[in-house]
Amino acid sequence: MERGAVSLSEINFDGIVGPTHNYAGLSLGNIASASHGGDPSYPRAAALQGVAKMRGNLDRLGVQGFLLPLPRPNTLLAESLHYSGTEPAALRAAPWSASSMWTANAATVSPAPDTADGRCHLTPANLVTMLHRAQEWPDTKRQLDLAFADREHFAVHGPVPPTFGDEGAANHMRLCEGHSAKGVEVFVYGRPGGRFPARQHEQASRLVARAHGLDPDACVFVEQNPAAIEAGAFHNDVVAVANEGVLFTHAEAFADQAGAYEAIRAAFPALEIVEVPASAVSLAEAIRTYLFNAQLVTRPDQSMALIVPEECRESEAVWGWCENMVASNGPIREVIPVDVRQSMANGGGPACLRLRVVCDPATVHPRFLLDEAQADLIESVIAKHWPEQIDPSDISAVDASDGLASDVIAARTALLAALDLENLI
Ligand code: SUG
């Protein structure tokens, strides 16, 4: 238990999908992003799918948070790129990206029981590997500074220096006997040199652990399997997820799978591993369906549920494996599919869409916590103001539509006004 024995909750802060959600194929190494590049997108449907997921979890878990879309198009970035018409279309699309919806990349979070000063520490991810994501952190930090302004309970750091790529919680797992207990934090990094970028650098992970004041004996640093990165697992959370004492992982997630288990177990002896062998679900099928990009949650009755994308139910191999797992006597008692197809087509599953923060909800700025009335409000603003469809040419053409820019700016402004969060404009 944390000092003072306060009981802490895990709060999932989902990113509300912004009105510029589009498919510009910007993320090298992210197979869904590459294969859907050029497709029309449906921002309104995407954002409503996200709210429906939040509503389900509010109902299941009793608590749910959210983070707001960042201001787009980002005119500062657009100006700094000095367009002349000769540049690749991707450079013109970057300032329009709605990628902040994937809040698992907003920050790395170390809850209070793990840190030297007994506060919850957050480090915004610098996301330097991809231009369209590198623009996120200053506005993300502003939002974290507001949501977690209580300095007695939270510390919000600056980002890791840009030499070291940091992608936040997507490459970080926490094992603990209960959320309020001291945990072991597992940092997963990639080694550069492959066909696709290794987005999380080892030194970034080590720096975050030091900044957060973690106990070195309660930190484990593990290398991602280069073959998993090659297969499209651009973040560790595409092939593994942890909750309390359980690690749910593909058998080919880590460079040295047995060594990783041993290192984690040395720091956290109660570790329970649910491993999916490649013979049951290949790495390619795991990445296609995002089985591991799931929310592994503890429900109020203490049973664990796995919230997976609908795509898992459509895969014979994956769904068959899930059914067997639930029928067995393992820790995961239910698998719940959710429809986040618009996000999935850009490589973002249920787990990408949320940032987990273990804390006392009373210490969070209340405007960032969802209730049913606020969910209704968010839905009505989205239904009224979010564009129904965006074609990549709408945003990457040399003369990208001024009309669309003012519409999406007004849409976000309407949401902030409805939620009384105008100071983020
Ligand atoms: O960084 N997609 C995101 C998906 C992030 C998923 N997050 C986690 N695994 N936690 C990315 O690759 C696609 C944007 C585009 O192609 O236009 C994109 O940025």
Side-chain angles (χ1 to χ4, degrees):
M1 271 277 183
E2 191 204 13
R3 264 161 240 185
V6 177
S7 168
L8 306 179
S9 309
E10 177 181 275
I11 311 178
N12 289 284
F13 288 83
D14 280 40
I16 296 176
V17 178
T20 63
H21 161 63
N22 69 85
Y23 301 123
L26 299 180
S27 276
L28 178 66
N30 170 341
I31 289 167
S33 152
S35 62
H36 289 275
D39 288 356
S41 63
Y42 299 92
R44 193 182 304 161
L48 293 175
Q49 287 169 0
V51 179
K53 169 166 105 75
M54 285 202 280
R55 272 190 195 278
N57 282 340
L58 177 61
D59 195 37
R60 247 168 242 130
L61 306 171
V63 61
Q64 175 68 47
F66 60 84
L67 293 173
L68 296 157
L70 304 186
R72 298 287 177 267
N74 179 348
T75 39
L76 271 183
L77 177 63
E79 278 164 28
S80 74
L81 291 169
H82 296 281
Y83 299 142
S84 70
T86 56
E87 63 284 340
L91 276 192
R92 290 192 295 271
W96 289 80
S97 178
S99 54
S100 66
M101 72 175 83
W102 300 296
T103 51
N105 306 116
T108 307
V109 184
S110 295
D114 302 357
T115 67
D117 66 2
R119 292 189 294 168
C120 174
H121 285 243
L122 298 98
T123 293
N126 64 25
L127 295 165
V128 288
T129 305
M130 301 284 162
L131 173 68
H132 68 287
R133 303 226 57 185
Q135 64 181 322
E136 290 174 36
W137 78 260
D139 291 310
T140 297
K141 181 173 180 334
R142 255 172 8 107
Q143 199 162 168
L144 297 177
D145 279 335
L146 189 63
F148 306 106
D150 178 343
R151 286 290 156 266
E152 203 187 313
H153 293 96
F154 296 99
V156 179
H157 297 264
V160 166
T163 312
F164 308 116
D166 178 24
E167 302 265 327
N171 299 292
H172 174 257
M173 302 184 286
R174 177 171 188 258
L175 292 151
C176 56
E177 305 221 355
H179 296 309
S180 303
K182 181 179 172 184
V184 166
E185 300 198 13
V186 180
F187 294 83
V188 187
Y189 60 87
R191 211 170 280 285
R195 184 163 62 112
F196 294 141
R199 296 206 210 174
Q200 182 72 34
H201 295 182
E202 178 180 358
Q203 290 311 321
S205 298
R206 291 189 184 273
L207 195 160
V208 170
R210 292 196 298 276
H212 290 190
L214 301 182
D215 171 359
D217 294 334
C219 292
V220 183
F221 297 89
V222 171
E223 189 192 336
Q224 231 194 317
N225 182 0
I229 299 178
E230 294 275 304
F234 52 96
H235 291 135
N236 172 64
D237 69 1
V238 175
V239 284
V241 60
N243 177 51
E244 295 191 323
V246 176
L247 171 61
F248 177 55
T249 179
H250 193 272
E252 296 173 352
F254 310 117
D256 172 4
Q257 196 82 13
Y261 295 163
E262 204 179 306
I264 300 170
R265 209 167 250 135
F268 185 76
L271 178 68
E272 200 172 342
I273 298 170
V274 180
E275 183 191 79
V276 182
S279 56
V281 178
S282 67
L283 206 44
E285 189 66 350
I287 291 167
R288 195 185 66 76
T289 59
Y290 264 37
L291 168 62
F292 298 93
N293 198 262
Q295 289 184 258
L296 182 56
V297 294
T298 306
R299 293 182 288 199
D301 68 0
Q302 296 309 306
S303 68
M304 278 195 203
L306 190 69
I307 298 157
V308 299
E310 272 291 353
E311 283 79 350
C312 291
R313 184 153 49 184
E314 291 156 10
S315 158
E316 212 176 300
V318 168
W319 199 243
W321 196 90
C322 289
E323 286 184 326
N324 285 341
M325 174 181 74
V326 170
S328 75
N329 214 11
I332 303 172
R333 306 308 311 154
E334 194 184 359
V335 179
I336 303 168
V338 291
D339 178 2
V340 287
R341 285 181 203 279
Q342 282 290 306
S343 168
M344 282 285 284
N346 249 339
C352 299
L353 285 161
R354 61 91 176 95
L355 180 70
R356 291 182 284 188
V357 180
V358 170
C359 64
D360 173 358
T363 59
V364 176
H365 191 316
R367 295 226 190 286
F368 291 90
L369 296 177
L370 192 77
D371 60 24
E372 288 295 341
Q374 242 174 339
D376 291 345
L377 194 62
I378 295 170
E379 267 174 357
S380 67
V381 175
I382 291 168
K384 183 158 175 216
H385 294 279
W386 262 230
E388 190 189 346
Q389 179 175 338
I390 292 182
D391 294 309
S393 58
D394 297 339
I395 58 167
S396 60
V398 180
D399 57 347
S401 148
D402 286 346
L404 182 62
S406 51
D407 288 352
V408 293
I409 291 167
R412 177 176 176 273
T413 305
L415 180 67
L416 269 51
L419 295 172
D420 209 1
L421 280 163
E422 282 121 314
N423 39 353
L424 279 181
I425 292 173

